[in-house]
Amino acid sequence: MQGIWTTERIREAEGKLFAVTPDGELMRRASFGLATQIADLLAERTGGVAGRRVVLLVGSGDNGGDALWAGAFLRRRGVAVTAVLLKPEKAHTKGLAALTRSGGRAVSVEDSPQWIAKADVVVDGIVGISGKGSLRPDAAALVELVDAPIVAVDLPSGVDPDTGAADGPHVTATRTVTFGGLKPVHALAPQQCGEVVLVDIGLRPELGDPDLLRLEPADLGELWPMPGPGDDKYTQGVVGIAAGSATYPGAAVLASGSAVHATAGMVRYAGPAADVVRARWPEIVATGSVTDAGRVQAWVVGPGIGTGADGRDVLRHILGQGVPVCADADATTILAQHPDVLDARDPDTPLVLTPHAGEYERLMGSRPGADRVKAARAAAAKYDAVVLLKGHCTVIAAPDDRVAANTPRGSWLATAGSGDVLTGLIGSLLAAGLDPWLAAAAGAQLHSLAGALAAEGVPTSASGLVDAIPEAIRAVRAATL
């Protein structure tokens, strides 16, 4: 798993490392790594390094210093480097001296447009991880002039380092080069960060346990339940699906099919769409009522069941069965409108809630806001449940404060029925016995991968997501080899 640390934790660790490291050594390590990545991008985009033109947008502070030192290293490789000093009086003194000694030039903001227009790569060294808020007008005006690929130093300027929020003018980077450890912005704002490259500067021993985690393909491959010689349909996990209606059976078909493809040992469907589900998935044992469903090891409930009395009765019955539950869509609305339904749940029964922003508002009384990690943690504490807060980047919080972030592969999941597919994945993992937080995080990650595989560069459908699940599982299993 990839560890992610808040900026406060990063600064604390840096302080400890600075105290035992020769002056300037950490900046030189960081800037050399940065220069290497800039050179790599130049080679990728232009076919060479020597003779290319790089412009540094330099603010005050250490990120500007990293950019200036990187410029000095690039000069050794024959790159023409121009530094635009947003605040000349606050530019990093030693970094600027190193750049000018190497033959680089420093120019004012007023003189910068001609250099920016000629750049092959622009380096964003405007603000660092201590910066908050959007870009100031002078910096925003410079960024507007850029047509070349941008390499961000540590994070894209104008994007909040701890929440990934970008509420005003900001940098959208082609590549972000960060140092020591990943920050929340790198997981929560992929569209602003571009490709994220981590440069090791020796910080890891000082960081301690991460604040957030992100699963990698190999983690998924190891976690995903696969049948062994001693398994049967019961040991592999029996998941119950309570979804859809006779009029709108789509949610039932999608959630059930997702669970089938996710390697559940058996899927039992219970609800008014039984005939349609059985016709589409003959391997599913389908009945008309949750009271007739038979034994399961986890339930998925909510998509398309309605929010009236019948839906409440279904949810109340399922919560009282003493097995893990993934409650989605209409189930979250029922819980928000009728919190007494939760009285049917044994306090020790695992519960996963999967709200989008509107459902979160119904559950909590307010929108998630910019700090989605904080919002997910608050809901997890209130409902004593794992909360998977949907969005472009999904955040998964457990009542014990564990948080995972899922960084998507594009926006292919923005399609009707996508959430129904996700609930089927999570339900199958719960039935197999995975920890609910891990089940939700793993389900979200595989869901993203299936979306990318189904899309192949063009929009896909929820049915396409279901069909791509086996390929996604093969891919993560291959990552473990």
Side-chain angles (χ1 to χ4, degrees):
M1 296 186 188
Q2 286 184 322
I4 300 167
W5 291 265
T6 64
T7 53
E8 179 181 2
R9 297 280 306 285
I10 293 285
R11 283 193 292 267
E12 289 175 357
E14 286 177 340
K16 294 176 184 177
L17 193 56
F18 282 141
V20 296
T21 306
D23 184 45
E25 175 62 24
L26 293 183
M27 181 169 284
R28 281 189 287 273
R29 292 180 195 172
S31 58
F32 182 79
L34 173 61
T36 299
Q37 289 299 319
I38 297 167
D40 286 349
L41 187 59
L42 282 171
E44 289 174 13
R45 294 302 180 100
T46 69
V49 176
R52 306 306 178 190
R53 294 180 288 265
V54 168
V55 169
L56 316 174
L57 303 182
V58 179
S60 56
D62 288 345
N63 275 24
D66 291 332
L68 290 165
W69 273 106
F73 286 124
L74 288 169
R75 285 293 302 134
R76 298 179 185 177
R77 299 187 62 174
V79 178
V81 180
T82 301
V84 179
L85 307 180
L86 278 79
K87 293 187 176 181
E89 71 283 2
K90 293 185 177 181
H92 192 275
T93 304
K94 292 182 179 178
L96 181 57
L99 177 67
T100 54
R101 280 197 308 270
S102 68
R105 68 171 61 84
V107 301
S108 66
V109 170
E110 293 76 18
D111 195 32
S112 65
Q114 60 175 314
W115 303 105
I116 293 174
K118 299 174 184 177
D120 295 302
V121 166
V122 170
V123 178
D124 164 26
I126 300 172
V127 299
I129 61 173
S130 298
K132 296 289 185 180
S134 56
L135 290 175
R136 293 180 180 177
D138 56 345
L142 289 183
V143 172
E144 280 291 317
L145 298 175
V146 178
D147 285 327
I150 297 178
V151 175
V153 182
D154 221 5
L155 78 164
S157 296
V159 182
D160 189 281
D162 283 321
T163 69
D167 300 325
H170 61 273
V171 168
T172 298
T174 304
R175 181 175 296 176
T176 296
V177 182
T178 191
F179 315 111
L182 294 174
K183 292 82 176 173
V185 62
H186 302 133
L188 301 175
Q191 62 273 39
Q192 277 80 44
C193 292
E195 178 191 7
V196 177
V197 177
L198 176 62
V199 173
D200 182 11
I201 59 171
L203 197 62
R204 182 64 184 90
E206 307 296 341
L207 283 169
D209 293 336
D211 298 292
L212 287 79
L213 290 168
R214 183 167 59 182
L215 297 181
E216 298 183 275
D219 299 318
L220 278 184
E222 291 174 357
L223 285 169
W224 209 268
M226 301 297 289
D231 279 317
D232 57 31
K233 60 189 177 184
Y234 298 109
T235 59
Q236 189 65 10
V238 180
V239 59
I241 308 289
S245 66
T247 306
Y248 301 105
V253 172
L254 291 168
S256 300
S258 174
V260 167
H261 279 327
T263 67
M266 177 188 287
V267 180
R268 297 185 184 273
Y269 172 79
D275 289 342
V276 178
V277 170
R278 193 182 298 113
R280 177 64 182 85
W281 305 106
E283 57 269 79
I284 289 178
V285 179
T287 60
S289 169
V290 292
T291 58
D292 300 329
R295 181 172 64 88
V296 302
Q297 288 153 298
W299 273 104
V300 166
V301 59
I305 66 170
T307 58
D310 290 344
R312 293 198 298 276
D313 289 344
V314 167
L315 180 57
R316 188 179 285 110
H317 175 83
I318 285 173
L319 288 172
Q321 297 307 296
V323 298
V325 176
C326 178
D328 181 42
D330 289 341
T332 60
T333 299
I334 291 169
L335 293 176
Q337 295 175 348
H338 304 278
D340 60 291
V341 171
L342 276 171
D343 294 341
R345 173 196 177 198
D346 186 293
D348 293 328
T349 299
L351 176 62
V352 177
L353 301 176
T354 59
H356 56 55
E359 291 161 347
Y360 180 95
E361 184 175 12
R362 290 194 281 274
L363 286 167
M364 297 296 288
S366 61
R367 302 284 286 185
D371 193 340
R372 291 167 51 78
V373 171
K374 180 180 179 181
R377 277 184 165 140
K382 177 177 178 179
Y383 288 94
D384 189 27
V386 170
V387 172
L388 184 151
L389 180 56
K390 296 174 183 173
H392 182 65
C393 291
T394 299
V395 175
I396 305 99
D400 61 9
D401 265 357
R402 287 177 296 167
V403 178
N406 174 50
T407 304
R409 299 163 172 84
S411 301
W412 310 118
L413 301 177
T415 186
S418 173
D420 305 331
V421 178
L422 175 59
T423 58
L425 289 170
I426 295 172
S428 69
L429 295 174
L430 290 173
L434 262 70
D435 169 88
W437 176 75
L438 271 178
Q445 190 83 353
L446 195 94
H447 189 234
S448 292
L449 177 56
L453 292 171
E456 293 186 340
V458 296
T460 187
S461 66
S463 295
L465 288 178
V466 173
D467 293 340
I469 290 171
E471 186 181 355
I473 295 174
R474 280 193 292 272
V476 299
R477 292 287 296 171
T480 66
L481 301 177

PDB file of all heavy atoms in Angstrom, residues 457-476:
ATOM      1  N   GLY A 457     -10.574   4.342 -23.717  1.00  0.00           N
ATOM      2  CA  GLY A 457     -10.448   5.676 -24.302  1.00  0.00           C
ATOM      3  C   GLY A 457     -11.736   6.334 -24.722  1.00  0.00           C
ATOM      4  O   GLY A 457     -11.744   7.497 -25.131  1.00  0.00           O
ATOM      5  N   VAL A 458     -12.860   5.635 -24.662  1.00  0.00           N
ATOM      6  CA  VAL A 458     -14.155   6.231 -25.000  1.00  0.00           C
ATOM      7  C   VAL A 458     -15.142   5.872 -23.895  1.00  0.00           C
ATOM      8  O   VAL A 458     -14.966   4.878 -23.193  1.00  0.00           O
ATOM      9  CB  VAL A 458     -14.684   5.744 -26.363  1.00  0.00           C
ATOM     10  CG1 VAL A 458     -13.773   6.189 -27.486  1.00  0.00           C
ATOM     11  CG2 VAL A 458     -14.843   4.222 -26.383  1.00  0.00           C
ATOM     12  N   PRO A 459     -16.223   6.667 -23.709  1.00  0.00           N
ATOM     13  CA  PRO A 459     -17.167   6.372 -22.627  1.00  0.00           C
ATOM     14  C   PRO A 459     -17.733   4.961 -22.723  1.00  0.00           C
ATOM     15  O   PRO A 459     -17.938   4.411 -23.802  1.00  0.00           O
ATOM     16  CB  PRO A 459     -18.254   7.430 -22.826  1.00  0.00           C
ATOM     17  CG  PRO A 459     -17.556   8.567 -23.493  1.00  0.00           C
ATOM     18  CD  PRO A 459     -16.553   7.917 -24.412  1.00  0.00           C
ATOM     19  N   THR A 460     -17.993   4.387 -21.545  1.00  0.00           N
ATOM     20  CA  THR A 460     -18.544   3.041 -21.480  1.00  0.00           C
ATOM     21  C   THR A 460     -19.869   3.085 -20.738  1.00  0.00           C
ATOM     22  O   THR A 460     -20.382   4.153 -20.384  1.00  0.00           O
ATOM     23  CB  THR A 460     -17.556   2.084 -20.785  1.00  0.00           C
ATOM     24  OG1 THR A 460     -18.049   0.754 -20.874  1.00  0.00           O
ATOM     25  CG2 THR A 460     -17.349   2.464 -19.321  1.00  0.00           C
ATOM     26  N   SER A 461     -20.440   1.930 -20.474  1.00  0.00           N
ATOM     27  CA  SER A 461     -21.708   1.819 -19.759  1.00  0.00           C
ATOM     28  C   SER A 461     -21.501   0.975 -18.515  1.00  0.00           C
ATOM     29  O   SER A 461     -20.479   0.301 -18.348  1.00  0.00           O
ATOM     30  CB  SER A 461     -22.766   1.159 -20.650  1.00  0.00           C
ATOM     31  OG  SER A 461     -22.398  -0.187 -20.922  1.00  0.00           O
ATOM     32  N   ALA A 462     -22.508   0.965 -17.625  1.00  0.00           N
ATOM     33  CA  ALA A 462     -22.417   0.124 -16.439  1.00  0.00           C
ATOM     34  C   ALA A 462     -22.352  -1.350 -16.822  1.00  0.00           C
ATOM     35  O   ALA A 462     -21.640  -2.137 -16.185  1.00  0.00           O
ATOM     36  CB  ALA A 462     -23.608   0.392 -15.522  1.00  0.00           C
ATOM     37  N   SER A 463     -23.058  -1.740 -17.862  1.00  0.00           N
ATOM     38  CA  SER A 463     -22.973  -3.125 -18.324  1.00  0.00           C
ATOM     39  C   SER A 463     -21.560  -3.451 -18.791  1.00  0.00           C
ATOM     40  O   SER A 463     -21.049  -4.556 -18.559  1.00  0.00           O
ATOM     41  CB  SER A 463     -23.960  -3.369 -19.463  1.00  0.00           C
ATOM     42  OG  SER A 463     -25.291  -3.232 -19.008  1.00  0.00           O
ATOM     43  N   GLY A 464     -20.912  -2.480 -19.445  1.00  0.00           N
ATOM     44  CA  GLY A 464     -19.524  -2.664 -19.842  1.00  0.00           C
ATOM     45  C   GLY A 464     -18.607  -2.847 -18.649  1.00  0.00           C
ATOM     46  O   GLY A 464     -17.649  -3.634 -18.696  1.00  0.00           O
ATOM     47  N   LEU A 465     -18.898  -2.124 -17.548  1.00  0.00           N
ATOM     48  CA  LEU A 465     -18.117  -2.293 -16.323  1.00  0.00           C
ATOM     49  C   LEU A 465     -18.225  -3.722 -15.807  1.00  0.00           C
ATOM     50  O   LEU A 465     -17.224  -4.343 -15.426  1.00  0.00           O
ATOM     51  CB  LEU A 465     -18.618  -1.335 -15.240  1.00  0.00           C
ATOM     52  CG  LEU A 465     -18.326   0.153 -15.355  1.00  0.00           C
ATOM     53  CD1 LEU A 465     -18.963   0.889 -14.198  1.00  0.00           C
ATOM     54  CD2 LEU A 465     -16.843   0.404 -15.387  1.00  0.00           C
ATOM     55  N   VAL A 466     -19.451  -4.236 -15.766  1.00  0.00           N
ATOM     56  CA  VAL A 466     -19.642  -5.610 -15.284  1.00  0.00           C
ATOM     57  C   VAL A 466     -18.827  -6.586 -16.123  1.00  0.00           C
ATOM     58  O   VAL A 466     -18.130  -7.464 -15.596  1.00  0.00           O
ATOM     59  CB  VAL A 466     -21.139  -5.979 -15.311  1.00  0.00           C
ATOM     60  CG1 VAL A 466     -21.323  -7.463 -14.987  1.00  0.00           C
ATOM     61  CG2 VAL A 466     -21.930  -5.122 -14.329  1.00  0.00           C
ATOM     62  N   ASP A 467     -18.896  -6.432 -17.430  1.00  0.00           N
ATOM     63  CA  ASP A 467     -18.186  -7.351 -18.323  1.00  0.00           C
ATOM     64  C   ASP A 467     -16.670  -7.275 -18.159  1.00  0.00           C
ATOM     65  O   ASP A 467     -15.958  -8.248 -18.448  1.00  0.00           O
ATOM     66  CB  ASP A 467     -18.556  -7.054 -19.779  1.00  0.00           C
ATOM     67  CG  ASP A 467     -20.015  -7.377 -20.089  1.00  0.00           C
ATOM     68  OD1 ASP A 467     -20.618  -8.154 -19.328  1.00  0.00           O
ATOM     69  OD2 ASP A 467     -20.548  -6.824 -21.074  1.00  0.00           O
ATOM     70  N   ALA A 468     -16.165  -6.099 -17.719  1.00  0.00           N
ATOM     71  CA  ALA A 468     -14.715  -5.913 -17.596  1.00  0.00           C
ATOM     72  C   ALA A 468     -14.154  -6.384 -16.260  1.00  0.00           C
ATOM     73  O   ALA A 468     -12.934  -6.406 -16.073  1.00  0.00           O
ATOM     74  CB  ALA A 468     -14.365  -4.439 -17.800  1.00  0.00           C
ATOM     75  N   ILE A 469     -15.008  -6.777 -15.324  1.00  0.00           N
ATOM     76  CA  ILE A 469     -14.519  -7.180 -13.998  1.00  0.00           C
ATOM     77  C   ILE A 469     -13.546  -8.357 -14.068  1.00  0.00           C
ATOM     78  O   ILE A 469     -12.473  -8.311 -13.443  1.00  0.00           O
ATOM     79  CB  ILE A 469     -15.701  -7.477 -13.046  1.00  0.00           C
ATOM     80  CG1 ILE A 469     -16.410  -6.159 -12.686  1.00  0.00           C
ATOM     81  CG2 ILE A 469     -15.223  -8.180 -11.787  1.00  0.00           C
ATOM     82  CD1 ILE A 469     -17.708  -6.351 -11.933  1.00  0.00           C
ATOM     83  N   PRO A 470     -13.839  -9.437 -14.810  1.00  0.00           N
ATOM     84  CA  PRO A 470     -12.859 -10.535 -14.857  1.00  0.00           C
ATOM     85  C   PRO A 470     -11.498 -10.100 -15.386  1.00  0.00           C
ATOM     86  O   PRO A 470     -10.457 -10.529 -14.860  1.00  0.00           O
ATOM     87  CB  PRO A 470     -13.528 -11.553 -15.796  1.00  0.00           C
ATOM     88  CG  PRO A 470     -14.987 -11.282 -15.668  1.00  0.00           C
ATOM     89  CD  PRO A 470     -15.086  -9.796 -15.518  1.00  0.00           C
ATOM     90  N   GLU A 471     -11.485  -9.229 -16.402  1.00  0.00           N
ATOM     91  CA  GLU A 471     -10.213  -8.740 -16.928  1.00  0.00           C
ATOM     92  C   GLU A 471      -9.463  -7.924 -15.879  1.00  0.00           C
ATOM     93  O   GLU A 471      -8.231  -8.013 -15.756  1.00  0.00           O
ATOM     94  CB  GLU A 471     -10.444  -7.906 -18.183  1.00  0.00           C
ATOM     95  CG  GLU A 471      -9.166  -7.469 -18.874  1.00  0.00           C
ATOM     96  CD  GLU A 471      -9.406  -6.627 -20.115  1.00  0.00           C
ATOM     97  OE1 GLU A 471     -10.588  -6.442 -20.505  1.00  0.00           O
ATOM     98  OE2 GLU A 471      -8.414  -6.136 -20.694  1.00  0.00           O
ATOM     99  N   ALA A 472     -10.208  -7.128 -15.108  1.00  0.00           N
ATOM    100  CA  ALA A 472      -9.576  -6.335 -14.055  1.00  0.00           C
ATOM    101  C   ALA A 472      -8.974  -7.235 -12.987  1.00  0.00           C
ATOM    102  O   ALA A 472      -7.863  -6.984 -12.477  1.00  0.00           O
ATOM    103  CB  ALA A 472     -10.590  -5.378 -13.445  1.00  0.00           C
ATOM    104  N   ILE A 473      -9.679  -8.299 -12.618  1.00  0.00           N
ATOM    105  CA  ILE A 473      -9.139  -9.236 -11.622  1.00  0.00           C
ATOM    106  C   ILE A 473      -7.893  -9.926 -12.162  1.00  0.00           C
ATOM    107  O   ILE A 473      -6.904 -10.098 -11.432  1.00  0.00           O
ATOM    108  CB  ILE A 473     -10.217 -10.256 -11.211  1.00  0.00           C
ATOM    109  CG1 ILE A 473     -11.370  -9.552 -10.484  1.00  0.00           C
ATOM    110  CG2 ILE A 473      -9.615 -11.338 -10.315  1.00  0.00           C
ATOM    111  CD1 ILE A 473     -12.561 -10.452 -10.173  1.00  0.00           C
ATOM    112  N   ARG A 474      -7.920 -10.317 -13.424  1.00  0.00           N
ATOM    113  CA  ARG A 474      -6.712 -10.921 -14.024  1.00  0.00           C
ATOM    114  C   ARG A 474      -5.533  -9.953 -13.955  1.00  0.00           C
ATOM    115  O   ARG A 474      -4.394 -10.353 -13.674  1.00  0.00           O
ATOM    116  CB  ARG A 474      -6.988 -11.319 -15.464  1.00  0.00           C
ATOM    117  CG  ARG A 474      -7.732 -12.645 -15.603  1.00  0.00           C
ATOM    118  CD  ARG A 474      -7.688 -13.142 -17.045  1.00  0.00           C
ATOM    119  NE  ARG A 474      -8.458 -12.300 -17.936  1.00  0.00           N
ATOM    120  CZ  ARG A 474      -9.753 -12.475 -18.180  1.00  0.00           C
ATOM    121  NH1 ARG A 474     -10.422 -13.453 -17.586  1.00  0.00           N
ATOM    122  NH2 ARG A 474     -10.399 -11.678 -19.021  1.00  0.00           N
ATOM    123  N   ALA A 475      -5.803  -8.665 -14.201  1.00  0.00           N
ATOM    124  CA  ALA A 475      -4.719  -7.673 -14.201  1.00  0.00           C
ATOM    125  C   ALA A 475      -4.098  -7.518 -12.827  1.00  0.00           C
ATOM    126  O   ALA A 475      -2.866  -7.469 -12.690  1.00  0.00           O
ATOM    127  CB  ALA A 475      -5.239  -6.331 -14.709  1.00  0.00           C
ATOM    128  N   VAL A 476      -4.924  -7.461 -11.777  1.00  0.00           N
ATOM    129  CA  VAL A 476      -4.354  -7.285 -10.445  1.00  0.00           C
ATOM    130  C   VAL A 476      -3.687  -8.564  -9.950  1.00  0.00           C
ATOM    131  O   VAL A 476      -2.714  -8.506  -9.191  1.00  0.00           O
ATOM    132  CB  VAL A 476      -5.409  -6.778  -9.433  1.00  0.00           C
ATOM    133  CG1 VAL A 476      -5.948  -5.424  -9.881  1.00  0.00           C
ATOM    134  CG2 VAL A 476      -6.544  -7.775  -9.228  1.00  0.00           C
TER     135      VAL A 476
END
